[in-house]
């Protein structure tokens, strides 16, 4: 989550997904039963694969696991990190039923007939943007001219930069892109990079804690089509067709986890820290405080997705020649497996009252 370059590896492997999707089967780990509910019913083992290392984008999953929401839904959920093929490949092939992805990746996958489907928007609005130390003087997109950009090597980077620089009379050809490899944001800027594309909720908050203030240009502020969902929770079409009860149960419990994190950011942070003790507790606490109100934001409920958001970003990608053909946005996502907003709020309020005593 240090820079957005981490999420593009999945796009490189989409051609591989096309080969393995037809023959891929869900792993035995997600078919077995381990443990039981309080009434003795066996739990179904299920895996969910992260997009990257654990962070506050994922807190709701860890809350649902720790608070017993998955168990109440009849599930024994194991949260895993992606293998070399990436989360999208694992989910699209049926190796695991659920994963964390991004609207960008799902859009690319859908136009290549890869059967990924987004089940929920983890964060309602795009919290990513171009960040620079304040001493670099990048106060507007035009100020990127003559500066060095820490790139990860995706065509979408220059397209987004061009889109926002065009609004300010800037010339993207005057930006020097430098591949920063495995370097994180802070290492890159110390080696001379002027700006990079980050998620503010993690790297931006870390900069605050380090006392290294940033100028942040959120991409959504320059085009409504760039206010896309990132990240999202995904499954594949076969999972929805063959086991809709599992999808419903998983999403019901996960929604409760995120609702709890929205209502209880400090306690939710403690749960993430307990589950992943290698994380910096101060960073997790500060990040969670910043991100919790942004999970749902102005949506009627957590996770809700709009077809206009999917269509708008896909149309932008197509016009930028980042897609070979237009996207059928209606098939890229579904809200059908989200629980009702009232039910989720009631359940988490009850839990919150109990744990507070």
């Amino acid at each position: 989550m240090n820079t957005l370059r981490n999420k593009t590896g999945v796009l490189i492997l989409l051609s591989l997904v096309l080969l393995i999707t037809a023959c891929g089967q869900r792993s035995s780990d997600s078919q077995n039963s381990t443990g039981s509910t309080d009434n003795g019913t066996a739990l179904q083992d299920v895996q969910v694969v992260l997009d990257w290392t654990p962070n506050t984008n994922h807190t709701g999953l860890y809350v649902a696991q720790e608070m017993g929401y998955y168990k109440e839904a009849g599930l024994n959920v194991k949260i895993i990190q992606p293998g070399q093929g990436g989360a999208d490949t694992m989910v699209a092939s049926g190796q695991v039923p659920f994963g964390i992805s991004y609207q960008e990746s799902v859009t690319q996958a859908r136009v290549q007939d890869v059967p990924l489907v987004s089940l929920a928007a983890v964060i309602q609005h795009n919290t990513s943007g171009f960040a620079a130390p304040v001493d670099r003087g990048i106060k507007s997109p035009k100020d990127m001219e003559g500066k060095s950009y820490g790139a990860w090597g995706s065509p979408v980077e220059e397209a987004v930069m061009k889109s926002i620089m065009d609004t300010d009379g800037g010339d993207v050809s005057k930006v020097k892109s430098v591949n920063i490899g495995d370097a994180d944001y802070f290492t890159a800027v110390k080696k001379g990079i002027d700006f990079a594309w980050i998620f503010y909720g993690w790297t931006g908050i870390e900069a605050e804690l380090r006392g290294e203030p940033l100028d942040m240009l959120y991409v959504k502020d320059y085009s409504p089509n760039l206010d896309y969902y990132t990240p999202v929770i995904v499954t594949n079409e076969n999972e929805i067709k063959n086991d809709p009860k599992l999808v419903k149960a998983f999403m019901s419990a996960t929604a409760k986890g995120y609702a709890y994190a929205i209502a209880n950011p400090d306690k939710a942070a403690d749960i993430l820290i307990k589950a992943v003790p290698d994380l910096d507790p101060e960073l997790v606490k500060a990040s969670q405080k910043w991100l919790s109100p942004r999970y749902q934001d102005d949506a009627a409920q957590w996770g809700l997705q709009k077809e206009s958001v999917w269509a708008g970003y896909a149309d932008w990608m197509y016009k930028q020649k980042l897609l070979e053909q237009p996207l059928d946005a209606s098939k890229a996502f579904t809200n059908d497996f989200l629980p009702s907003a009232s039910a989720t709020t009631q359940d988490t309020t009850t839990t919150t009252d109990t744990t507070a005593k």
Side-chain angles (χ1 to χ4, degrees):
M1 197 167 161
N2 285 328
T3 65
L4 296 191
R5 66 175 178 80
N6 301 323
K7 68 188 182 183
T8 59
V10 293
L11 301 180
I12 299 172
L13 295 166
L14 285 176
S15 58
L16 175 61
V17 178
L18 292 171
L19 297 176
I20 63 179
T21 298
C23 58
Q25 299 295 326
R26 188 191 305 172
S27 67
S28 58
D29 286 339
S30 63
Q31 294 177 334
N32 298 334
S33 296
T34 302
S36 61
T37 61
D38 293 337
N39 63 11
T41 304
L43 298 177
Q44 181 177 359
D45 283 350
V46 175
Q47 290 184 335
V48 54
V49 58
L50 303 182
D51 54 320
W52 190 239
T53 54
N55 55 67
T56 47
N57 281 350
H58 313 131
T59 304
L61 302 173
Y62 288 97
V63 169
Q65 186 182 60
E66 173 68 18
M67 298 297 291
Y69 300 152
Y70 287 132
K71 183 178 180 181
E72 291 170 3
L75 307 177
N76 177 48
V77 172
K78 183 178 181 181
I79 302 168
I80 64 174
Q81 293 189 43
Q84 188 174 6
D88 282 2
T89 300
M90 296 173 71
V91 175
S93 67
Q95 185 179 348
V96 296
F98 306 105
I100 304 296
S101 184
Y102 309 86
Q103 184 174 333
E104 310 98 300
S105 300
V106 176
T107 300
Q108 291 271 13
R110 295 298 313 188
V111 299
Q112 296 183 48
D113 295 323
V114 178
L116 288 176
V117 180
S118 176
L119 297 168
V122 174
I123 305 170
Q124 191 59 212
H125 293 284
N126 191 345
T127 61
S128 75
F130 296 105
V134 293
D135 62 3
R136 308 301 163 88
I138 301 178
K139 309 295 183 183
S140 71
K142 184 174 175 56
D143 294 332
M144 294 177 180
E145 290 184 353
K147 299 297 196 300
S148 59
Y149 168 68
W152 71 83
S154 169
V156 74
E157 295 174 275
E158 183 173 337
V160 171
M161 265 194 285
K162 183 180 187 305
S163 286
I164 74 168
M165 291 181 75
D166 283 349
T167 67
D168 196 33
D171 183 353
V172 73
S173 70
K174 295 181 180 180
V175 176
K176 180 182 179 182
S177 290
V178 180
N179 194 313
I180 61 175
D182 293 330
D184 67 10
Y185 171 82
F186 300 100
T187 300
V189 296
K190 287 177 181 177
K191 291 185 175 181
I193 294 298
D194 293 312
F195 69 104
W197 197 352
I198 69 167
F199 283 106
Y200 192 85
W202 191 258
T203 307
I205 297 300
E206 184 176 356
E208 290 183 11
L209 296 177
R210 287 169 172 250
E212 301 177 16
L214 303 176
D215 284 317
M216 183 77 179
L217 306 180
Y218 292 97
V219 297
K220 69 178 178 59
D221 292 342
Y222 297 91
S223 170
N225 289 335
L226 296 179
D227 191 13
Y228 50 83
Y229 301 122
T230 177
V232 295
I233 296 175
V234 295
T235 188
N236 64 69
E237 290 180 351
N238 289 334
E239 202 70 50
I240 290 174
K241 179 181 178 181
N242 298 330
D243 202 347
K245 289 184 179 179
L246 170 61
V247 181
K248 189 77 171 178
F250 177 80
M251 288 309 302
S252 177
T254 299
K256 289 174 65 177
Y258 278 98
Y260 181 94
I262 291 167
N264 306 277
D266 198 56
K267 292 179 181 178
D270 286 337
I271 290 173
L272 179 58
I273 293 165
K274 176 183 176 183
V276 192
D278 289 342
L279 292 175
D280 178 353
E282 184 182 18
L283 174 56
V284 172
K285 289 274 191 178
S287 173
Q288 197 64 61
K289 181 179 180 180
W290 188 89
L291 193 57
S292 278
R294 290 171 171 82
Y295 285 141
Q296 179 174 335
D297 207 294
D298 55 359
Q301 68 180 98
W302 174 83
L304 201 64
Q305 302 172 85
K306 298 178 181 178
E307 185 170 340
S308 60
V309 173
W310 281 89
Y313 182 64
D315 289 346
W316 176 86
M317 292 186 77
Y318 184 66
K319 290 176 182 177
Q320 301 297 321
K321 303 186 185 304
L322 297 170
L323 296 180
E324 296 177 359
Q325 60 189 26
L327 172 75
D328 182 350
S330 66
K331 294 183 178 180
F333 78 99
T334 178
N335 291 316
D336 292 349
F337 296 95
L338 293 173
S340 67
S342 59
T344 304
T345 302
Q346 182 178 2
D347 288 342
T348 53
T349 300
T350 302
T351 305
T352 303
D353 292 341
T354 300
T355 56
K357 292 179 181 178

